[in-house]
Amino acid sequence: MAANVTSAGLEVAFVGDWLLQSDSADIEPILARVKALEAGQRLFFATAKLGRWDSLLVTELIKIIDCATGKRLAVDKATLPAPLQGLLALVYAVPERLDAQRVTRKMRWSEALSAETAAAVRHAKEMLIFVGDMTLSTLAAVRGQAHFRRQDLWLYIQECGPSALPIVTLISLLVGLILAFVGAVQLSLFGAQIYIANLVSLGMTREMGGLMTAIIMSGRTGAAYAAQIGTMHVNSEIDALKTMNLDPMAFLVLPRMLALIIIMPLLCLYADLMGIVGGGLVTVNFFDVSLTEYLDRTASAVKMKDFIIGFVKCSVFGILIALSGCMRGMQCGRSASAVGDAGTSAVVTAIVFIVVADSVMTIICNRLGI
């Protein structure tokens, strides 16, 4: 590109081929000369030597024309090729909206705090509404008025039960190993390695078995529920259910929640067993404790109330996981990225609820002396 200033105005001549990757298209000198002209002068283009061109030429022409218009110069587009004139006509057919671009401004800390508070209140309200709708659907199911397919319930039990056994087995074994090693470090100082069985069995049955199972299921099943319902929301399948007079809460959420309530205590029991097995592997193989002694200490340390506490916790965790996953799925937007965001939000929400609920129930059990 070359530019020549004449008495008639500014002549812009395009020489050679104009390519998108061309390094010779330096428009800044031309813009500087356009700004130096006085109002009323004429700007025209000499395109006799113009070869190939693409969208970059149109972009640069727009910059030149806008600069000339701002200086109140007369722009002559007659010498441009017809395709270029057509593209420029399309560009200037509808003027650009001044408020079309996003404007970002730095918020003060008080404004940010107010916005976060309003968002928290809105989320809490949405959560209460969802829990209320779920409660009404549950009561309708108790009265026999809820409509969902029983085969769906068995399918969800299969998905969140037997299909989760491999990962639950692996994690529970490793947690039992970790508890045994951590306890052995301190207990071996007093020659009390036999109490490793007490530590592992009580830790798994009352706390770690249910907690680790819940965390696994929140990442595995809770996210899956959010993605499934979110995809149905994107595809307008939930709207179709409402059109057919089917309650989405009863048809989609209730069987998933029932499946987790049924399966979570069983998975908790299985996780307790695998954790005790993992602790036994460490205790018997690395410390001076026989298998019979380990089993005797485990049987004497664990009471029925310990299993019941673990079962109750896991049932509560199952409700929280199902509510978190289904709630985020029902709140999903209408885009593909919203489905991924719903899955991520479901996992985070479920884990936060699980930790808070576990802390509250542990404090209650401590205060009640159980």
Side-chain angles (χ1 to χ4, degrees), residues 3-12 33 37 41-42 44:
N4 301 314
V5 177
T6 66
S7 58
L10 178 67
E11 179 183 3
V12 181
R33 295 190 180 187
L37 293 176
Q41 292 186 298
R42 187 168 61 91
F44 62 94

Side-chain angles (χ1 to χ4, degrees), residues 31-263:
L31 294 178
R33 295 190 180 187
V34 170
K35 294 176 182 178
L37 293 176
E38 298 179 357
Q41 292 186 298
R42 187 168 61 91
L43 174 67
F44 62 94
F45 304 93
T47 58
K49 298 182 179 180
L50 177 64
R52 294 179 298 160
W53 55 274
D54 57 11
S55 58
L56 179 59
L57 174 58
V58 181
T59 303
E60 304 293 20
L61 282 175
I62 293 172
K63 293 179 182 179
I64 297 173
I65 294 172
D66 290 344
C67 183
T69 304
K71 292 291 295 183
R72 297 182 180 179
L73 301 178
V75 181
D76 185 3
K77 306 175 187 176
T79 58
L80 293 175
L84 271 176
Q85 295 184 36
L87 291 174
L88 291 175
L90 289 176
V91 170
Y92 292 102
V94 178
E96 181 182 2
R97 290 178 53 186
L98 298 178
D99 58 345
Q101 298 181 355
R102 178 180 297 178
V103 179
T104 57
R105 66 182 184 89
K106 188 176 181 180
M107 297 178 61
R108 294 180 298 179
W109 68 269
S110 58
E111 295 177 339
L113 179 61
S114 177
E116 291 297 330
T117 303
V121 172
R122 185 178 68 255
H123 291 322
K125 182 179 179 180
E126 293 174 352
M127 187 179 303
L128 289 176
I129 293 174
F130 184 85
V131 172
D133 292 340
M134 189 66 249
T135 303
L136 294 177
S137 298
T138 303
L139 294 177
V142 172
R143 295 192 299 265
Q145 299 175 353
H147 302 285
F148 66 87
R149 297 181 298 182
R150 294 185 178 181
Q151 55 266 35
D152 289 344
L153 176 60
W154 293 114
L155 176 62
Y156 299 142
I157 291 176
Q158 168 68 27
E159 290 177 351
C160 64
S163 300
L165 289 180
I167 185 64
V168 173
T169 302
L170 175 62
I171 299 300
S172 300
L173 276 174
L174 294 178
V175 170
L177 291 171
I178 293 170
L179 285 177
F181 273 117
V182 171
V185 171
Q186 298 299 321
L187 294 175
S188 61
L189 298 177
F190 307 97
Q193 294 92 332
I194 187 63
Y195 291 103
I196 298 176
N198 299 56
L199 173 66
V200 174
S201 58
L202 288 175
M204 290 299 301
T205 54
R206 292 181 66 97
E207 193 67 35
M208 296 304 297
L211 183 62
M212 294 308 300
T213 301
I215 292 176
I216 293 170
M217 296 304 290
S218 65
R220 182 184 181 277
T221 305
Y225 286 173
Q228 291 169 2
I229 298 178
T231 303
M232 296 178 68
H233 194 68
V234 171
N235 295 334
S236 300
E237 296 178 38
I238 294 179
D239 296 334
L241 290 176
K242 294 179 181 178
T243 303
M244 293 185 292
N245 198 24
L246 292 175
D247 183 13
M249 300 296 294
F251 194 81
L252 299 176
V253 179
L254 186 58
R256 288 175 167 85
M257 187 177 68
L258 290 177
L260 277 177
I261 293 175
I262 295 171
I263 286 299

Side-chain angles (χ1 to χ4, degrees), residues 321-334:
I321 293 170
L323 287 178
S324 300
C326 297
M327 179 180 66
R328 297 308 182 190
M330 296 293 285
Q331 295 174 350
C332 179
R334 295 285 185 173

Side-chain angles (χ1 to χ4, degrees), residues 305-321:
K305 67 176 183 180
D306 300 319
F307 284 106
I308 293 175
I309 291 173
F311 289 167
V312 172
K313 285 185 176 181
C314 247
S315 298
V316 174
F317 295 160
I319 296 174
L320 295 177
I321 293 170

